[in-house]
Amino acid sequence: MSGFQDVRDVMDISGPMENIPRPPPAKKQKTVEKRPDGITRELFALLGENPPPVAIVENKFKEKPKWMGKANPWVWTPFKNPARSDDLTLYHWERKTESTEDSVYAFSKFNVSIDVPIPSEDEYAALRSDDWTREETDYLLSICRDFDLRWSVIWDRYDYPGKTRKLEDLKARYYNVCRSLMEQRTPVAQMTPEELVAYNLTNFEKEREGTRRAMAEKQFNKTEEQIREEEMLLTELKRIVGNQEKMFEERKDIFQRLNYPQSSGSIQQYQGSQGIAHLRDMLLANNDKNKKRKSIALGPSTGVETAQATPTSAVSTDRGNAPAKQERQEKSEQKRQVRKLTKEEELQYGVSQHEKLASGVKLRSTMNNSTIKGATQTKIMGALTQLGIPPKLTMCTVKTMAKMLQLESQVAVLLDTRKAIDKLEQEAKVLRAQLGLKEKEGA
């Protein structure tokens, strides 16, 4: 490629630019990539500037470890266990070190013993018990120390002459001794937090522990059928508890609906078919009036609808005469098809017939249809209480109320019979007394 000076020579252009020395051309810096291991130099040169598409990894064996020094020898070394009290000397292989003779047996730190308190003569004065002697208490503390408070082993190995103790008795006596000794040696107000925690742990409830062990034994001795039945009952209890809140809300809603305000007026005029028809006409008239008021409130754009609604209401009110009422009653009676239900269907659907119903809504549990009043009613309630029957039934259905009335009448008959029997027995006693007096006078 020709440069700028060559172009000037061809065009025969000379000027002051000739004396200016040209800068040397910049050298291209070649980036030398490191040749990866496992590939030859000729093959890497053929790749050029493009990197290899696949990483080349050469499988090599693990390098041989470099030992820094010589291996330490093992020696047959004697040792003594500080946890033993017989000063027995044993041997084992141990790596040779400079301080082999002064080393302590490493596994002696695992010999952890339970600190079982030993009461003195003065301290035992506060531990006296009619059921426990000093010798038996010392025997219990020694066996607790030997078996590290493993209560199952202690109860199994407990063999004091003339005594048979339960596991709860052994625990109660041991913790009572520990608690009393801690109170005597350090008052509760002066205990450190660690000592106070240990003091609270010695509070043992004997009755609760006995109940717990009895329940655990019953649970262990249950059969598979009992376990399945218990699981079924627990599932049912969980379902009942889950639906309890919903049931309470529904019951609260029902009671709110039943507690309606009592009306002060009379509904005598609305009884019967004619009264109901008159009430319906009044409701229709009020409905038409409400529509008229709404149309007036909407504005002038709905004036056509208002004009059309006015004559309609007028016509409906004009038609409220006797012949029109009779026609509507006949049509409603034709449309209504009455079908008599059998006794089985009445029981199935809960249908009951009454001669006369009182106005308003009442709970059946508050209605007392019993004809027995006065003192006899009080005696009947006392007899039902003895039988475990509440004065107000939980499920006041028609059947249960009828059975309740029948039971009250039968109890009343029994009370009257008992009263008559008592009267006759009293008269018989009087007659026997009179006969006895006559026999004495005759003699």
Side-chain angles (χ1 to χ4, degrees):
M1 184 175 180
S2 58
F4 181 73
Q5 188 64 30
D6 296 336
V7 173
R8 293 176 64 87
D9 294 341
V10 171
M11 300 292 294
D12 194 12
I13 298 173
S14 61
M17 298 290 295
E18 294 180 355
N19 298 327
I20 298 174
R22 290 183 298 176
K27 296 182 179 179
K28 294 182 179 180
Q29 296 180 357
K30 295 182 180 180
T31 58
V32 180
E33 296 182 2
K34 184 179 179 181
R35 180 168 59 85
D37 298 336
I39 186 172
T40 59
R41 180 171 56 82
E42 292 77 6
L43 180 59
F44 182 72
L46 292 176
L47 294 176
E49 297 180 356
N50 298 324
V54 181
I56 300 172
V57 179
E58 183 179 2
N59 295 327
K60 293 183 178 180
F61 294 103
K62 189 176 181 180
E63 295 182 359
K64 185 178 180 181
K66 298 179 181 180
W67 300 105
M68 301 300 294
K70 296 181 180 180
N72 294 331
W74 290 76
V75 293
W76 184 249
T77 309
F79 71 95
K80 292 181 180 181
N81 190 354
R84 299 179 65 95
S85 60
D86 53 359
D87 199 18
L88 178 65
T89 303
L90 301 174
Y91 293 85
H92 64 172
W93 286 101
E94 188 178 6
R95 189 183 295 274
K96 185 178 180 180
T97 56
E98 296 180 356
S99 60
T100 303
E101 297 179 356
D102 299 335
S103 62
V104 182
Y105 186 57
F107 293 97
S108 62
K109 61 183 179 181
F110 297 107
N111 183 38
V112 180
S113 59
I114 302 297
D115 186 14
V116 178
I118 301 175
S120 61
E121 293 293 338
D122 298 336
E123 292 174 344
Y124 188 78
L127 302 175
R128 296 185 182 276
S129 177
D130 298 336
D131 194 21
W132 288 82
T133 61
R134 176 63 187 271
E135 291 76 13
E136 188 178 3
T137 303
D138 294 339
Y139 174 72
L140 174 63
L141 296 176
S142 64
I143 199 173
C144 289
R145 189 181 303 104
D146 294 340
F147 296 110
D148 296 332
L149 289 182
R150 291 191 288 269
W151 289 108
S152 299
V153 182
I154 293 171
W155 176 74
D156 183 65
R157 302 297 177 87
Y158 193 84
D159 188 14
Y160 191 78
K163 292 290 184 179
T164 303
R165 301 288 186 179
K166 295 182 180 179
L167 181 59
E168 294 82 8
D169 299 335
L170 302 178
K171 286 186 176 182
R173 180 59 176 171
Y174 173 77
Y175 288 116
N176 187 18
V177 169
C178 294
R179 190 178 183 87
S180 179
L181 291 177
M182 291 181 70
E183 291 177 353
Q184 294 181 33
R185 294 173 181 177
T186 305
V188 180
Q190 299 178 4
M191 289 184 180
T192 61
E194 293 79 8
E195 292 176 350
L196 192 61
V197 171
Y199 175 76
N200 294 329
L201 291 176
T202 57
N203 186 13
F204 180 75
E205 298 180 4
K206 180 180 177 181
E207 296 180 357
R208 183 177 180 183
E209 179 67 14
T211 305
R212 184 193 66 81
R213 292 186 70 252
M215 292 177 63
E217 186 176 358
K218 289 181 180 179
Q219 188 73 17
F220 181 76
N221 294 330
K222 282 184 179 179
T223 60
E224 294 182 358
E225 296 179 357
Q226 293 176 345
I227 293 173
R228 287 196 295 267
E229 183 179 0
E230 185 178 356
E231 291 178 353
M232 181 186 67
L233 292 176
L234 290 175
T235 305
E236 186 68 16
L237 178 62
K238 186 178 180 180
R239 184 186 65 81
I240 292 172
V241 173
N243 296 334
Q244 190 174 11
E245 295 182 358
K246 183 179 179 182
M247 182 180 66
F248 285 159
E249 292 179 359
E250 293 178 354
R251 183 178 295 178
K252 184 178 179 181
D253 188 19
I254 291 172
F255 279 108
Q256 288 179 355
R257 293 177 183 272
L258 293 177
N259 294 332
Y260 71 99
Q262 298 290 337
S263 60
S264 59
S266 177
I267 61 171
Q268 190 69 25
Q269 57 180 343
Y270 301 115
Q271 295 181 356
S273 59
Q274 294 182 358
I276 293 174
H278 179 60
L279 179 62
R280 185 188 63 181
D281 294 337
M282 290 177 61
L283 293 174
L284 290 174
N286 291 331
N287 191 15
D288 293 337
K289 289 180 182 179
N290 292 331
K291 289 183 179 179
K292 182 178 179 181
R293 290 174 184 173
K294 289 181 180 179
S295 61
I296 292 172
L298 290 175
S301 60
T302 58
V304 178
E305 297 178 358
T306 307
Q308 292 178 357
T310 304
T312 305
S313 60
V315 171
S316 62
T317 53
D318 292 336
R319 289 180 181 177
N321 50 13
K325 293 179 182 178
Q326 189 174 0
E327 290 178 1
R328 284 193 291 270
Q329 290 175 7
E330 292 177 355
K331 291 180 180 179
S332 61
E333 289 176 357
Q334 291 177 1
K335 292 180 180 179
R336 183 173 54 195
Q337 297 179 358
V338 179
R339 184 172 66 88
K340 293 183 178 180
L341 300 177
T342 61
K343 293 183 178 181
E344 292 78 7
E345 291 177 343
E346 288 181 356
L347 293 175
Q348 180 180 1
Y349 299 116
V351 178
S352 59
Q353 298 179 1
H354 305 274
E355 295 180 358
K356 186 178 180 181
L357 292 175
S359 61
V361 180
K362 295 182 180 179
L363 294 175
R364 191 179 288 111
S365 59
T366 60
M367 299 171 63
N368 187 7
N369 297 328
S370 178
T371 58
I372 303 169
K373 305 294 181 182
T376 309
Q377 180 69 20
T378 307
K379 293 180 180 180
I380 291 173
M381 291 301 169
L384 293 178
T385 305
Q386 292 180 359
L387 296 174
I389 301 174
K392 289 187 179 181
L393 298 177
T394 306
M395 299 296 293
C396 299
T397 61
V398 178
K399 290 184 179 181
T400 54
M401 290 297 292
K403 293 290 184 182
M404 187 68 177
L405 295 176
Q406 183 181 0
L407 179 61
E408 289 181 358
S409 61
Q410 292 177 357
V411 173
V413 172
L414 291 175
L415 292 174
D416 294 339
T417 306
R418 187 176 66 179
K419 184 178 180 181
I421 291 172
D422 294 340
K423 185 177 180 182
L424 293 175
E425 288 180 353
Q426 187 66 25
E427 292 177 357
K429 289 180 180 180
V430 174
L431 291 175
R432 290 192 194 100
Q434 293 176 359
L435 290 174
L437 291 174
K438 288 180 180 181
E439 289 177 359
K440 289 180 180 179
E441 291 177 357

